[in-house]
C-alpha cells in the first residue's frame, strides 16, 4: 500500500484513508504519496467512459480503497448531477481545446472533486470503525465553498463550515453560499481576503482553544490541501487526452500541453501527478491574473509576498499564498522534508523564499508561468465570443490568454488543452461588460441579459438562485476566528450528542 507522508516530516506516515480523514498533517504539512510507482498508459484506457477512467486513475494513488468501494464512490459522484453526459466535454477552439469542467451541480470545476470527496471520506470512516463527527473547515475564494456545501450537505457523521472573504467573491457566488440548505452546514463571511480565511482554517488545527473544544469531533478539510480532493482531479487530464486519442487528433505517445488557471496550485498539481503517472505532458502552463506571484516564482525561483493583493474579475484566483506549491517543492527536491519545512518557515517568518538554481531549472522543465491583466482577460472573452461564438468565464479567459502568450513566445505548437473552470454565468456582470453590453441592473438582471444576448443556456442551479431565501448573513473579524471556530465545534459536538 502507498504510504502518505507529510511534506514537512517523512516520519509522519499514514494510509490513504487516514490522510483523507485528516486533511492537514498534524505538523502543518500536506500529505503526499511517498512514491507514485504505478504507470498508466492512456492508450490502454482508450474507449473508456469518464467513470471507468476515474476508477483506474484514482485506484492507482488511493490504493487502500477496494474496487467495490471506489466503484460506488465514482458512480455516486459522476451521475445525472452533471448536465453533460461526458462529465467533462471538450470544445474545439482556434487555439486548442477547452476542457469544460463546470457541468456539475454548482457550475465550477470544484464539483469534480467535491462530489466524490464526501464519498471517499465516508468510505474511509466506515472502514476505520470511527464514531466521531468529521468537521470540515473550508476556506473559499468563491467556488470551493458552494461545491463543498453541496457535497457535504446532510452527509452523516460530518458537519461543514465555510469561511469566505466578505469582499471579492462574485454576487452569484455569495448568493450560492448564503442560500445553502442542509442541517450540518454553516457559512461565515470574514472581513479579510482568501489568504486570511485559509490561514484561519489551517491555524485551527493547532490552536489551543479550538483543540480544547473538540469533543469527539475531528477537524478535516475540503480544500485542496486534502489529498482526497487532489487525486480525483488527475482524472480529467487523462480523460481529455484519451478523447483526443480516440478522435484521432493525436496518436499514442504524442505529447500535449495543458494550460491551467491557477490559484492555490491544486488543479495544476493534479496535472503534474498525471505526468508522473505516465501521461505524455510536455508543458503545464500556469496562468495567473494580476496576483501573479506564481509567474514570478516560476521565472525567478523567488516566491515573495511583498506585493499588493488585487481584487479581480477572476476572484477564485485572488490568492497570494498558494498552498499546494508546498507539495511541488517536496516532489522537486527529491522528497526533502527538511528543505520543504525550512522554505515554509521562511515564507511565514520573512514573507519570501528562494529555491536553488537546480530546483528552479527542474521546475521550468515542466512549468511555464504567464499572467493576464484585467484588460487582456476582458478582451479575450470578447474576441472568442465575437470570432468563434464560444462564451467563457474570466478564469478560463486568463488561461486562454496565457496559452496564446506562451505559444507566441515559444513557438511551441504542441496541441494545447485549456482548462475551462467555471460557467460564465457565475460572473455575469463582468462577462457582459467584456462582450460590450451595457448593464446597470443587479447580477440577476445581468444573467437575463447575458442569456438574451448570447442564447447560451443558463445552468439550472444558477437560474433558480434568484428566488432562494438567504439563510446565512454572519460576518466576523479575522481576530475572532479561533473563538468562532471553537464555538462552532462545541455546537457540532452537542448536535451529534443529541442525535446519538
Ligand atoms: C479554484 C478555481 C481556480 C484555481 O484552482 P486552484 O486549484 O486553486 O489552482 C480557477 N478557476 C476557478 C473557476 C476556480 O474555482
Amino acid at each position: 500500500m502507498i504510504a502518505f507522508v507529510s511534506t514537512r516530516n517523512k516520519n509522519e506516515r499514514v494510509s490513504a484513508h487516514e490522510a483523507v480523514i485528516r486533511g492537514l498533517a498534524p505538523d502543518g504539512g500536506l500529505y503526499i504519496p511517498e512514491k507514485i510507482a504505478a504507470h498508466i498508459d492512456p492508450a490502454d484506457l482508450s474507449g473508456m467512459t469518464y467513470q471507468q477512467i476515474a476508477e483506474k486513475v484514482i485506484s492507482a494513488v488511493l490504493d487502500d480503497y477496494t474496487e467495490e468501494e471506489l466503484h460506488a464512490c465514482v458512480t455516486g459522484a459522476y451521475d445525472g448531477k452533471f448536465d453533460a453526459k461526458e462529465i467533462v466535454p471538450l470544445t474545439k477552439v482556434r487555439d486548442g481545446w477547452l476542457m469544460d469542467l463546470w457541468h456539475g451541480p454548482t457550475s465550477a470545476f470544484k464539483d469534480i472533486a467535491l462530489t466524490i470527496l464526501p464519498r471517499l471520506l465516508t468510505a474511509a470512516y466506515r472502514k476505520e470503525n470511527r464514531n466521531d463527527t468529521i468537521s470540515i473547515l473550508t476556506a473559499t475564494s468563491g467556488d470551493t465553498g458552494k461545491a463543498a456545501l453541496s457535497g457535504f450537505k446532510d452527509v452523516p457523521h460530518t458537519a461543514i463550515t465555510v469561511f469566505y472573504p466578505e469582499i471579492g467573491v462574485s454576487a452569484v457566488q455569495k448568493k450560492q453560499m448564503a442560500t445553502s440548505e442542509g442541517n450540518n452546514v454553516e457559512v461565515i463571511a470574514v472581513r479579510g481576503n482568501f489568504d486570511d480565511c485559509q490561514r484561519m482554517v489551517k491555524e485551527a488545527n493547532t490552536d489551543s482553544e479550538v483543540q480544547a473544544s473538540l469533543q469527539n469531533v475531528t477537524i478535516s478539510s475540503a480544500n485542496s490541501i486534502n489529498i482526497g480532493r487532489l487525486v480525483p482531479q488527475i482524472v480529467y487530464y487523462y480523460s481529455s487526452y484519451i478523447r483526443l486519442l480516440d478522435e484521432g487528433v493525436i496518436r499514442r505517445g504524442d505529447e500535449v500541453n495543458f494550460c491551467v488557471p491557477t490559484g492555490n496550485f491544486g488543479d495544476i498539481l493534479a496535472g503534474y501527478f498525471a505526468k508522473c503517472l505516465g501521461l505524455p505532458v510536455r508543458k503545464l502552463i500556469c496562468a495567473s491574473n494580476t496576483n501573479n506571484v506564481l509567474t514570478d516564482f516560476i521565472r525567478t525561483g523567488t516566491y515573495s509576498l511583498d506585493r499588493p493583493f488585487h481584487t479581480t474579475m477572476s476572484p477564485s484566483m485572488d490568492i497570494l499564498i498558494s498552498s499546494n506549491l508546498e507539495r511541488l517543492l517536496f516532489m522537486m527536491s527529491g522528497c526533502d522534508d527538511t528543505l520543504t519545512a525550512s522554505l515554509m518557515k521562511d515564507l511565514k517568518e520573512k514573507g519570501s523564499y528562494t529555491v536553488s538554481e537546480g530546483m528552479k531549472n527542474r521546475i521550468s522543465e515542466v512549468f511555464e508561468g504567464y499572467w493576464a491583466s484585467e484588460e487582456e482577460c476582458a478582451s479575450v472573452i470578447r474576441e472568442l465570443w465575437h470570432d468563434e461564438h464560444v462564451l467563457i468565464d474570466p478564469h478560463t479567459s486568463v488561461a486562454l490568454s496565457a496559452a496564446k502568450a506562451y505559444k507566441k513566445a515559444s513557438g511551441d505548437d504542441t496541441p494545447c488543452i485549456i482548462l475551462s473552470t467555471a460557467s460564465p454565468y457565475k460572473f455575469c456582470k463582468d462577462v457582459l461588460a467584456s462582450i460590450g453590453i451595457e448593464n446597470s441592473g443587479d447580477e440577476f438582471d445581468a444573467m437575463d441579459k447575458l442569456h438574451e444576448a448570447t442564447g447560451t443556456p443558463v445552468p439550472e442551479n444558477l437560474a433558480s438562485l434568484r428566488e432562494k431565501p438567504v439563510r446565512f448573513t454572519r460576518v466576523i473579524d479575522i481576530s475572532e476566528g479561533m473563538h468562532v471556530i471553537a464555538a462552532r465545534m462545541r455546537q457540532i459536538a452537542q448536535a451529534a450528542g443529541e442525535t446519538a
Side-chain angles (χ1 to χ4, degrees):
M1 254 170 15
I2 299 174
F4 287 75
V5 298
S6 164
T7 47
R8 299 186 193 178
N9 175 8
K10 281 192 281 188
N11 295 324
E12 164 64 30
R13 292 161 64 89
V14 297
S15 66
H17 281 161
E18 196 64 33
V20 169
I21 290 173
R22 288 195 195 175
L24 197 66
D27 58 13
L30 308 185
Y31 285 115
I32 186 157
E34 193 174 34
K35 56 173 184 295
I36 300 179
H39 183 90
I40 306 176
D41 183 341
D44 293 340
L45 310 186
S46 171
M48 287 191 181
T49 62
Y50 188 87
Q51 292 82 349
Q52 290 168 322
I53 297 168
E55 284 181 44
K56 291 278 185 225
V57 170
I58 297 173
S59 68
V61 185
L62 302 181
D63 66 351
D64 57 354
Y65 288 84
T66 65
E67 239 173 74
E68 295 73 46
E69 281 169 346
L70 267 187
H71 180 74
C73 290
V74 164
T75 49
Y78 306 125
D79 61 6
K81 286 191 284 305
F82 285 76
D83 64 13
K85 194 167 87 11
E86 311 95 307
I87 307 297
V88 179
L90 290 183
T91 304
K92 176 80 186 90
V93 292
R94 194 184 54 214
D95 292 292
W97 288 264
L98 295 173
M99 189 207 289
D100 295 330
L101 292 162
W102 42 265
H103 287 280
T106 75
S107 303
F109 98 91
K110 306 296 197 294
D111 285 326
I112 306 277
L114 285 164
T115 48
I116 194 169
L117 179 65
R119 292 177 166 81
L120 293 171
L121 188 81
T122 304
Y125 182 96
R126 270 197 229 106
K127 256 312 207 341
E128 305 290 319
N129 287 316
R130 301 176 73 112
N131 63 1
D132 51 344
T133 302
I134 310 291
S135 163
I136 309 288
L137 293 181
T138 295
T140 184
S141 53
D143 288 328
T144 293
K146 182 61 191 186
L149 288 159
S150 159
F152 280 98
K153 173 188 164 203
D154 294 330
V155 172
H157 311 296
T158 73
I160 172 159
T161 315
V162 167
F163 296 92
Y164 73 92
E166 187 191 19
I167 294 170
V169 303
S170 85
V172 169
Q173 288 176 319
K174 194 174 199 160
K175 182 112 197 232
Q176 277 187 304
M177 290 189 275
T179 57
S180 293
E181 293 162 6
N183 287 322
N184 63 342
V185 311
E186 171 81 80
V187 179
I188 299 171
V190 177
R191 291 186 194 95
N193 60 35
F194 171 75
D195 292 316
D196 298 314
C197 296
Q198 178 157 262
R199 208 177 291 117
M200 240 169 69
V201 164
K202 281 190 172 179
E203 197 182 317
N205 284 274
T206 48
D207 178 79
S208 55
E209 186 188 354
V210 173
Q211 292 305 310
S213 73
L214 299 177
Q215 276 158 21
N216 211 26
V217 169
T218 304
I219 290 182
S220 184
S221 170
N223 285 100
S224 52
I225 54 179
N226 191 321
I227 193 75
R229 173 112 173 239
L230 222 51
V231 175
Q233 296 180 180
I234 304 171
V235 177
Y236 46 73
Y237 287 90
Y238 267 89
S239 75
S240 56
Y241 184 96
I242 293 163
R243 182 104 0 104
L244 293 188
L245 204 59
D246 287 347
E247 285 173 7
V249 175
I250 53 173
R251 282 177 306 188
R252 181 175 201 154
D254 282 354
E255 287 186 321
V256 299
N257 292 334
F258 289 94
C259 184
V260 190
T262 297
N264 226 355
F265 211 77
D267 202 4
I268 195 166
L269 189 73
Y272 184 62
F273 279 176
K275 183 174 168 67
C276 295
L277 279 170
L279 191 71
V281 178
R282 182 176 157 88
K283 288 285 183 184
L284 292 165
I285 304 157
C286 175
S288 301
N289 63 25
T290 30
N291 294 296
N292 54 6
V293 60
L294 287 165
T295 316
D296 288 350
F297 171 69
I298 291 168
R299 293 184 178 182
T300 67
T302 295
Y303 195 97
S304 171
L305 299 178
D306 185 16
R307 56 176 70 235
F309 180 92
H310 299 284
T311 306
T312 72
M313 64 171 124
S314 46
S316 302
M317 295 154 71
D318 290 345
I319 293 178
L320 292 183
I321 303 175
S322 214
S323 285
N324 279 291
L325 197 60
E326 177 169 349
R327 286 190 168 110
L328 185 72
L329 297 175
F330 181 84
M331 292 168 94
M332 288 286 181
S333 63
C335 306
D336 189 336
D337 52 353
T338 313
L339 176 72
T340 309
S342 95
L343 293 175
M344 289 304 110
K345 191 157 171 272
D346 283 351
L347 185 65
K348 190 166 180 189
E349 290 171 3
K350 301 182 197 147
S352 75
Y353 62 79
T354 300
V355 299
S356 69
E357 196 61 21
M359 187 138 141
K360 173 183 167 279
N361 292 339
R362 277 196 298 285
I363 291 173
S364 328
E365 273 171 31
V366 185
F367 292 88
E368 295 282 340
Y370 282 83
W371 69 280
S373 67
E374 292 290 273
E375 294 73 30
E376 283 169 284
C377 176
S379 82
V380 167
I381 294 174
R382 183 174 58 244
E383 266 172 38
L384 190 68
W385 174 248
H386 284 162
D387 297 352
E388 306 185 49
H389 258 63
V390 175
L391 192 67
I392 52 173
D393 97 289
H395 303 76
T396 309
S397 176
V398 166
L400 182 54
S401 166
K404 289 184 188 200
Y406 165 71
K407 192 170 174 179
K408 196 165 169 204
S410 66
D412 179 2
D413 58 8
T414 305
C416 187
I417 300 174
I418 297 126
L419 278 69
S420 172
T421 47
S423 160
Y425 284 97
K426 288 193 97 163
F427 309 93
C428 303
K429 276 194 147 172
D430 287 320
V431 172
L432 204 55
S434 300
I435 62 172
I437 296 173
E438 286 288 320
N439 176 57
S440 50
D442 72 3
E443 194 71 18
F444 289 98
D445 296 328
M447 194 179 276
D448 292 341
K449 272 227 168 99
L450 191 58
H451 175 64
E452 277 164 31
T454 64
T456 54
V458 186
E460 172 50 32
N461 80 85
L462 300 181
S464 62
L465 260 190
R466 179 182 265 161
E467 309 302 332
K468 278 212 169 146
V470 169
R471 260 182 94 196
F472 300 100
T473 52
R474 188 168 183 199
V475 188
I476 64 165
D477 286 323
I478 301 163
S479 59
E480 296 173 86
M482 292 310 113
H483 200 59
V484 169
I485 292 176
R488 168 79 173 139
M489 296 305 106
R490 281 191 293 269
Q491 182 204 3
I492 289 168
Q494 199 186 347
E498 281 161 9
T499 55

